[in-house]
Structure formats: structure tokens, C-alpha cells
Amino acid sequence: MKYPVYERFYTWQGEGVHLGRAAYFIRLYGCPQACPWCDSAGTWHRDYRPDGVTLMGADELAEVVRAESPDGAVVVVTGGEPILFDLNPLTDALHALGRRVHIETSGIAPLRGALDWVTLSPKPFGQPPLPEVVARADEVKIIVHEPGDIQAGLDTLSGLPQDAVIWLHPEWSRARERDLGVLNAITQAVKENPRLRAGYQMHKLYRADDLDAHSDKRLIPLGGNAALGY
């Protein structure tokens, strides 16, 4: 099994329950969702295709994780859409190192692999998450580009475990431009439903990912301002 690795880098988790935790990210290439505001559009958009994508086996990826991050750092498999791949070999290899393995996914296919944490980010305008993935989610991240995205995202979550955390994240261009329509809608939703939490992409404020030589630093302007790099 070879995985198409768009980028891999050591940083810290910038959002969600594990905010601030040291994390090695493995970003896989390919996604059918085509979010118009995608902040990783180089994984699928024809205008931002990389010159090449490295194919790496599970043991090879585990070795770079071991070499490039210390024991105790979690591994986050993201994309693109990582749920499209059989992650069993990769999770086995990473668990052999003693690493916890997290996934960030829109949930459009069955989970494959022994995953320690599942972050579900539903895309109601595209393919909705499978009920079996919703039932397995540890946390949910709803991206809010317009106020109506809050309810649209919540409507995909039938069967979500009661202890799963639900985050409302302003889409980055809305956050960066302080779009009060979106920010106030999130605030109001959280006040009305205390199960919801207001989120933010803290790593972008720190530009933490940029400090690793392997991260993609091209300006990819979907959903935002090319001059600002989003």
C-alpha cells in the first residue's frame, strides 16, 4: 500500500479538543468535495496541483514520523480526504511506534484503520457523512462560511455520540476579515445551545505550520485574499 503524500510536517494541532498539542501531520492528496473556500486546495484543485506527489508506504511514513518528531507527539492524518484510503497499514505502523493516530475527515466513506481520534468535518453542500462515521466521531468541526452553514452542518449529525464535541469554526477568510455576520451567528448559536463550542484556527495566527520545511507555503487563495495567503 502506497499513500500519495501531498505534504508532511511537524507542528501543533491548531484547533479542536487537542488544541496546542504537538502533532505530526500527514496530508494525503485527493478529495472529491471541492469546497469553494478550501485552505488545502493544492490537494485537489486543477489550478494548484503540485509538480509531483510522493508515494510512501506505511513503514516509510512511520520512519519519517519517528525521525522528525519526538515520542508523545500525535499523528494527524488529513487531506485532501484521507478516508478514501485504507489506513490499516499506516495505523498499525504508527501504533508500533507508540503514537496515537487521529484523522480529520468529511466522513464520506467507511473508516479503515485503528484510529484513536476521529474529527468529522461534514460538508452538507457536497457528499454528506456516512451514518457509521457520524456514530464514530469524537468531535465535529462545522466550517461556517455563511450563517446558514451552522444548521446545515448540524442536520448531518443524526446519531452523533452524546459526548462528541461540536465546534463551529469561522471559515478562515471570514475570521481573518472579522466578518461579524458569521462571527455573531456563531456566538448566538453557542449561547442558544451550550453543547456547541466556538472554535478558531489558532495555528494560522502563529503561522506554526510554516516553520517546518516540508509544509506547503504557496499562496492558494480559495475563499480569501491571495495577498494574505489564504
Side-chain angles (χ1 to χ4, degrees), residues 173-187:
S173 69
R174 300 302 203 211
R176 186 68 166 76
E177 295 167 7
R178 295 188 56 78
D179 184 316
L180 291 181
V182 166
L183 298 180
N184 290 348
I186 291 174
T187 295

Side-chain angles (χ1 to χ4, degrees), residues 105 120 125 165 178 218:
T105 177
L120 173 64
F125 52 80
V165 178
R178 295 188 56 78
R218 294 178 298 156

Side-chain angles (χ1 to χ4, degrees), residues 5-103:
V5 179
Y6 176 76
E7 60 179 337
R8 52 182 175 80
F9 54 92
Y10 182 46
T11 182
W12 45 267
Q13 175 59 270
E15 52 199 42
V17 171
H18 295 278
L19 173 66
R21 187 173 184 178
Y24 193 97
F25 276 74
I26 297 172
R27 187 181 302 282
L28 301 182
Y29 185 85
C31 181
Q33 296 285 53
C35 302
W37 36 256
C38 180
D39 64 359
S40 300
T43 61
W44 62 270
H45 197 288
R46 65 173 180 265
D47 292 343
Y48 301 104
R49 286 176 181 155
D51 293 334
V53 175
T54 302
L55 296 177
M56 301 180 71
D59 291 340
E60 187 179 4
L61 277 167
E63 174 55 27
V64 298
V65 168
R66 184 203 62 75
E68 297 174 4
S69 63
D71 292 342
V74 302
V75 179
V76 181
V77 185
T78 184
E81 181 42 82
I83 209 169
L84 301 177
F85 303 94
D86 182 359
L87 299 179
N88 276 292
L90 182 57
T91 58
D92 288 349
L94 293 170
H95 284 150
L97 294 179
R99 301 300 183 96
R100 287 177 56 85
V101 186
H102 299 188
I103 190 174

